[in-house]
């Protein structure tokens, strides 16, 4: 596969087919339709195709109701697809019960038995399958050592912290030695600090265990830090799948651009004006020259674009008075009224108003910026990082550069 083909496959919105032979899980043409209370069909997920490599950590992310949990539950066998197949280890498991699929699931609710010790909670899935006692003890001890909870085996869930209960739930899944781990918002019940800690620990555990993991979250920071690849869903459709950095650098459409990144990308309605065989972004006092690679991308689209949206991330806007990484010229600067200043230690977040219609955008500038509320600040745009979106379709027409 050439570099260009690889890039195209990585940012495909509707499919993820590859020539990779070591595929552990295939979600093949998956569509799920529910009926609402009035008997009308509601499409929860539509025509999703994803190949998941062996040992990969794949994260489904998107807003509530986007179809990520429905997809995970279908892989688990808790939902039946309306159309399509689920294939695990080259076997079509679409009609099989969950226990026959070689999967283990970790839920948002840890579902620990309160009357059982940690040891008995972890060993329970093996006991109901009549594993020998010696093998049960060996697996529980190995998982407990891996998760650093060996000293907690004789405690009950009520005696554990939230993070410890999470490890026990993971341990109960690990002892089964499944082919695939499925995790549905497993950190959502933890406080913010513990969530960050457990994210790191989950990453380390995944590296040690090496099993294919499918993980569902609504938290894009969780998705970006945990996933080998991230699949972004919205309204039941796969918007984009790829490595976290590629989703950030080359979002396929406006939804992905606004969902991935914190603070989110700024969007501005502008005029795209052709001048001397190049394009400029213009609106009121803004007049920015697009770089050559963006011009090349736009060349094939410009005649078809009626309305466009200009996208730039807050960290790609700099205070002209202190920026050192980007040259300051008339072609990459504009002025804006400072409405809010938020010092964050390593950065300052500025909320500014560039146009008279009172629309506001964010800039993440150096802590050395002296901008104050009420000032007119000159902002420098890193023009190599900008995006142009078709306002009608939402497509990013500069994504391939």
């Amino acid at each position: 596969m050439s570099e260009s083909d690889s890039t195209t496959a990585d940012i495909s919105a509707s499919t993820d087919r590859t020539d990779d032979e070591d595929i552990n899980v295939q979600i093949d043409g998956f569509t799920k339709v529910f009926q609402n209370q009035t008997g009308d069909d509601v499409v929860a997920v539509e025509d999703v195709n994803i190949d998941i490599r062996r040992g990969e950590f794949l994260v489904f992310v998107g807003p509530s109701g986007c179809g990520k949990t429905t997809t995970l539950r279908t892989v688990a066998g808790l939902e039946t697809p309306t159309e399509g197949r689920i294939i695990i280890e080259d076997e079509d498991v679409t009609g099989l019960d969950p226990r026959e699929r070689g999967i283990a699931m970790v839920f948002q609710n840890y579902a620990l038995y309160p009357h059982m010790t940690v040891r008995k909670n972890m060993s329970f899935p093996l006991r109901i399958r009549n594993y020998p006692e010696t093998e049960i003890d060996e697996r529980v001890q190995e998982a407990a050592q891996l998760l650093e909870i060996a000293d907690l085996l004789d405690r009950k869930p009520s005696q554990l912290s939230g993070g410890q209960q999470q490890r026990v739930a993971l341990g109960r899944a690990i002892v089964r030695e499944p082919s695939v781990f499925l995790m549905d918002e497993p950190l959502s019940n933890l406080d913010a600090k513990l969530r960050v800690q457990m994210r790191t620990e989950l990453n380390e555990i995944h590296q040690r265990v090496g099993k294919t993991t499918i993980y569902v979250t609504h938290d894009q920071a969780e998705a970006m830090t945990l996933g080998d690849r991230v699949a972004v869903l919205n309204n039941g459709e796969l918007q984009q799948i790829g490595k976290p950095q590629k989703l950030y650098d080359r979002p396929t459409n406006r939804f992905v651009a606004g969902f991935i990144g914190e603070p989110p990308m700024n969007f501005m309605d502008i005029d795209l004006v052709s001048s001397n065989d190049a394009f400029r972004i213009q609106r009121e006092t803004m007049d920015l020259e697009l770089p050559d690679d963006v011009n090349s991308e736009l060349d094939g689209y410009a005649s078809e674009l009626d309305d466009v949206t200009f996208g730039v991330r807050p960290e790609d806007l700099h205070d002209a008075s202190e920026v050192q990484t980007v040259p300051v010229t008339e072609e990459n600067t504009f002025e804006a009224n400072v409405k809010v200043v938020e010092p964050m230690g390593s950065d300052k977040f500025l909320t500014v108003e560039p146009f008279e219609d009172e629309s506001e955008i964010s800039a993440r500038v150096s802590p050395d910026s002296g901008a104050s509320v009420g000032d007119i600040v000159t902002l420098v745009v890193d023009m190599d990082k900008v995006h142009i979106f078709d306002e009608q379709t939402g497509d990013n027409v500069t994504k391939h550069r």
Side-chain angles (χ1 to χ4, degrees), residues 34-48:
F34 293 101
Q35 284 192 330
N36 62 18
Q37 294 179 340
T38 61
D40 296 326
D41 287 345
V42 177
V43 180
V45 183
E46 185 171 15
D47 194 25
V48 169

Side-chain angles (χ1 to χ4, degrees), residues 14-17 26-30 46-51 238 241:
S14 60
T15 187
D16 184 46
R17 294 295 176 226
Q26 285 181 279
I27 301 171
D28 183 30
F30 168 52
E46 185 171 15
D47 194 25
V48 169
N49 296 283
I50 300 176
D51 290 345
L238 179 61
I241 183 168

Side-chain angles (χ1 to χ4, degrees), residues 134-188:
T134 53
E135 184 174 354
I136 291 174
D137 289 343
E138 184 178 327
R139 290 196 187 189
V140 168
Q141 285 293 337
E142 286 179 357
Q145 292 290 342
L146 175 70
L147 297 166
E148 299 180 352
I149 55 172
D151 59 333
L152 305 177
L153 287 174
D154 295 321
R155 296 187 187 182
K156 292 186 176 179
S158 61
Q159 298 172 294
L160 305 178
S161 68
Q164 290 168 337
Q165 290 183 41
Q166 176 65 78
R167 291 188 190 94
V168 175
L170 284 169
R172 187 174 53 191
I174 288 171
V175 297
R176 294 179 55 189
E177 298 183 356
S179 173
V180 182
F181 287 105
L182 305 178
M183 300 188 182
D184 187 9
E185 304 256 18
L187 306 184
S188 60

